[in-house]
């Protein structure tokens, strides 16, 4: 089959990555989707079991820091476009192991940028007509106080954690590649995502898991920090919009307008989990109270904890016609449903079983 695009997507076995790969593969049969993933602890190969036999899907096990491996992937598939989603993404891990974030997020992005530039310049007919989409985060803009103006695309890059610094550094390299080489790069900065397949190291799935296991529900500091939450279906539509319609050289914010304090989010999750656990109202009330009593406030769990993120997404709405559709309550409800009905997925993550399955995919096919 003659594909009109041959896309290299990185991190396709991760939380957002696997759901975006599925969307690309299912909705664009005339695009070849090549998923490059190193299957670190955050990559779950089995997430994509349902589509791995699809004609327009390929998996390549490898590292975005490996220039030789990337050059083989570019040449073998005559890659036309890149969607770079792979990243170390957990702030707490970046505090205990900052170098991992520097290497994987910053060096990895620069290696991928350079591999794309070299291939497109020398074998891909020049840079024009290609696209490199770098999926970044609102955390590069630093933190706001309670009444601070939402981040726009022009806000200063002012990261606070090793995670956000590593993503921001990659942002700066993207800007340098745009200015210096005219690389056709689009960047998006997104708020906190909520939905299926997120590892239970993050607040939402961790809270669901702790309630269901009757464990203490950990809230950092007093739970007053504010995050903006976007449901995965909106994330996928926004990412598709940026990839298809985003103007090279431009950045777009992806947000929902749904800001809430962590403690309010945790209370809503408790209510929604308990509604599913108890059909009888009296038992629900008791279950809700018991779970609330299990909230444990932990001071200084995250040194330098950013107080608030808030993102202005007017530009993507006005210029590319995307807007969010799912409100926060619906997003929490759908997410709780998924975890409730896919508990075996959580068990496989917690027990490490998924790592055994990952090993089956760890053969270098290209090289
Ligand atoms: O803003 C976008 C970012 O959202 C992404 O770029 C990151 O990759 C993603 O991890 C997320 O970052 P956060 O640090 O905001 O997400 P996390 O789920 O780790 O924490 C959300 C908030 O909840 C944060 O204020 C810390 C707090 N928290 C977190 C955990 C894991 C708790 O109170 N208890 C917890 O157990």
């Amino acid at each position: 089959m003659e594909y009109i695009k041959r896309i290299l997507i990185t991190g396709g076995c991760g939380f957002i990555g696997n759901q975006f790969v599925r969307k690309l593969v299912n909705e664009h049969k005339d695009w070849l989707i090549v998923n490059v993933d190193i299957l670190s602890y955050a990559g779950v190969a089995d997430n994509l079991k349902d589509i791995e036999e699809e004609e327009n899907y390929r998996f390549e096990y490898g590292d975005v820091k490996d220039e030789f491996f990337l050059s083989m992937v570019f040449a073998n598939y005559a890659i036309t476009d890149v969607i770079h989603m792979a990243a170390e993404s957990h702030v707490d891990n970046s505090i205990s192991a900052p170098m991992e974030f520097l290497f994987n997020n910053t060096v990895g992005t620069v290696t991928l940028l350079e591999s794309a530039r070299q291939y497109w310049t020398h074998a891909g007919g020049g840079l024009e007509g290609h696209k490199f989409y770098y999926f970044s985060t609102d955390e590069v803009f630093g933190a706001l106080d309670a009444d601070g103006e939402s981040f726009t695309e022009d806000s200063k890059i002012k990261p606070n954690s090793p995670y956000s610094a590593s993503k921001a550094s990659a942002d700066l390299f993207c800007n340098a590649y745009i200015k210096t080489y005219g690389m056709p790069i689009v960047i998006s900065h997104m708020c906190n995502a909520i939905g299926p397949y997120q590892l239970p190291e993050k607040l939402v799935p961790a809270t669901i898991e702790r309630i269901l296991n009757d464990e203490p529900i950990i809230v950092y500091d007093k739970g007053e920090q504010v995050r903006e939450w976007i449901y995965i279906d909106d994330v996928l539509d926004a990412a598709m919009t940026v990839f298809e319609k985003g103007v090279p050289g431009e950045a777009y914010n992806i947000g929902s307008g749904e800001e809430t304090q962590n403690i309010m989010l945790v209370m809503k999750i408790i209510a929604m989990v308990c509604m599913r656990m108890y059909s009888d109202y009296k038992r629900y009330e008791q279950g809700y109270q018991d779970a609330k009593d299990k909230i444990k406030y932990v001071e200084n769990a995250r040194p330098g904890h950013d107080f608030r993120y808030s993102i202005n997404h007017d530009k993507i709405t006005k210029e590319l016609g995307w807007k969010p559709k799912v409100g926060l309550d619906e997003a929490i409800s759908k997410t709780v449903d998924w975890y409730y009905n896919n508990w075996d997925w959580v068990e496989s993550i917690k027990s490490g079983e998924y790592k055994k399955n990952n090993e089956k995919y760890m053969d270098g096919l290209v090289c």
Side-chain angles (χ1 to χ4, degrees), residues 264-282:
M264 298 306 289
L265 181 74
V266 165
M267 299 301 254
K268 282 187 173 180
I269 296 173
I270 293 177
M272 291 201 196
V273 172
C274 289
M275 271 180 222
R276 281 150 185 88
M277 287 171 82
Y278 310 107
S279 48
D280 172 84
Y281 185 68
K282 274 230 140 17

Side-chain angles (χ1 to χ4, degrees), residues 89-92 137-139 163 190-193 201-204 206 210 218-220 225 227 229 262 302 305-306 309:
S89 70
H90 194 40
V91 174
D92 295 341
T137 170
D138 60 359
E139 297 195 20
Y163 161 66
M190 199 182 75
C191 63
N192 287 58
E201 62 185 0
K202 302 284 170 73
L203 176 66
V204 172
R210 287 163 184 158
I218 308 297
V219 172
Y220 295 174
Q225 284 74 12
R227 295 290 181 269
W229 295 93
N262 291 342
R302 182 177 287 185
H305 195 179
D306 283 340
Y309 309 132

Side-chain angles (χ1 to χ4, degrees), residues 4 16 21 57 74 78 109 117 153 194-195 215 218-219 225 247 252 267 285 307 316 328 335:
I4 59 168
I16 296 172
V21 165
Y57 175 70
F74 272 93
T109 302
R117 185 177 81 84
E153 286 76 5
I194 172 170
E215 288 165 2
I218 308 297
V219 172
Q225 284 74 12
V247 177
Y252 301 90
M267 299 301 254
E285 260 195 328
F307 183 72
I316 186 174
L328 182 58
T335 305

Side-chain angles (χ1 to χ4, degrees), residues 119-352:
Y119 178 73
W120 290 337
T121 304
H122 300 296
L127 294 174
E128 212 173 304
H130 300 289
K131 199 173 256 182
F132 187 112
Y133 176 12
Y134 172 55
F135 196 81
S136 190
T137 170
D138 60 359
E139 297 195 20
V140 300
F141 300 123
L144 295 166
D145 57 26
D147 336 294
E149 289 256 320
S150 303
F151 303 124
T152 69
E153 286 76 5
D154 297 325
S155 292
K156 262 205 190 130
I157 302 252
K158 250 177 114 192
N160 294 318
S161 71
Y163 161 66
S164 50
S166 70
K167 291 292 285 184
S169 309
D171 263 70
L172 296 180
F173 269 97
C174 284
N175 290 338
Y177 268 66
I178 293 169
K179 289 270 186 273
T180 309
Y181 306 111
M183 270 283 276
I185 301 170
V186 282
I187 303 174
S188 66
H189 296 113
M190 199 182 75
C191 63
N192 287 58
I194 172 170
Y197 296 105
Q198 193 172 32
L199 290 192
E201 62 185 0
K202 302 284 170 73
L203 176 66
V204 172
T207 302
I208 296 171
E209 192 207 348
R210 287 163 184 158
I211 301 166
L212 289 171
N213 285 342
D214 204 18
E215 288 165 2
I217 299 166
I218 308 297
V219 172
Y220 295 174
D221 302 315
K222 294 186 173 62
E224 287 167 339
Q225 284 74 12
V226 174
R227 295 290 181 269
E228 179 170 333
W229 295 93
I230 184 169
Y231 189 60
I232 187 73
D233 290 357
D234 282 332
V235 172
L236 303 181
D237 283 343
M240 191 68 97
T241 304
V242 172
F243 176 62
E244 287 196 279
K245 300 191 197 161
V247 177
E250 294 290 320
Y252 301 90
N253 286 349
I254 301 175
S256 64
E258 294 278 4
E259 286 182 46
T260 192
Q261 285 187 324
N262 291 342
I263 186 62
M264 298 306 289
L265 181 74
V266 165
M267 299 301 254
K268 282 187 173 180
I269 296 173
I270 293 177
M272 291 201 196
V273 172
C274 289
M275 271 180 222
R276 281 150 185 88
M277 287 171 82
Y278 310 107
S279 48
D280 172 84
Y281 185 68
K282 274 230 140 17
R283 291 187 61 210
Y284 162 80
E285 260 195 328
Q286 188 58 53
Y288 179 75
Q289 194 51 51
D290 290 347
K292 257 176 61 180
D293 292 345
K294 284 217 137 55
I295 293 177
K296 190 172 165 203
Y297 295 93
V298 182
E299 291 292 328
N300 292 324
R302 182 177 287 185
H305 195 179
D306 283 340
F307 183 72
R308 173 172 166 245
Y309 309 132
S310 167
I311 194 127
N312 175 324
H313 63 265
D314 287 352
K315 179 176 173 182
I316 186 174
T317 302
K318 280 197 197 116
E319 296 182 13
L320 307 184
W322 173 87
K323 56 175 192 292
K325 296 193 184 97
V326 183
L328 182 58
D329 287 353
E330 189 186 345
I332 301 171
S333 177
K334 285 179 163 180
T335 305
V336 167
D337 273 340
W338 188 86
Y339 281 93
Y340 204 70
N341 297 322
N342 292 277
W343 196 242
D344 51 340
W345 184 88
V346 179
E347 305 250 274
S348 152
I349 303 293
K350 294 304 276 191
S351 66

Side-chain angles (χ1 to χ4, degrees), residues 82-136:
V82 173
I83 300 172
H84 181 34
M85 288 190 160
E88 292 278 348
S89 70
H90 194 40
V91 174
D92 295 341
N93 291 347
S94 82
I95 294 168
S96 47
M99 296 303 280
E100 293 288 312
F101 285 69
L102 171 66
F103 289 126
N104 290 323
N105 295 354
T106 312
V107 177
T109 302
V110 181
T111 311
L112 191 57
L113 281 169
E114 186 54 13
S115 302
R117 185 177 81 84
Q118 291 294 343
Y119 178 73
W120 290 337
T121 304
H122 300 296
L127 294 174
E128 212 173 304
H130 300 289
K131 199 173 256 182
F132 187 112
Y133 176 12
Y134 172 55
F135 196 81
S136 190

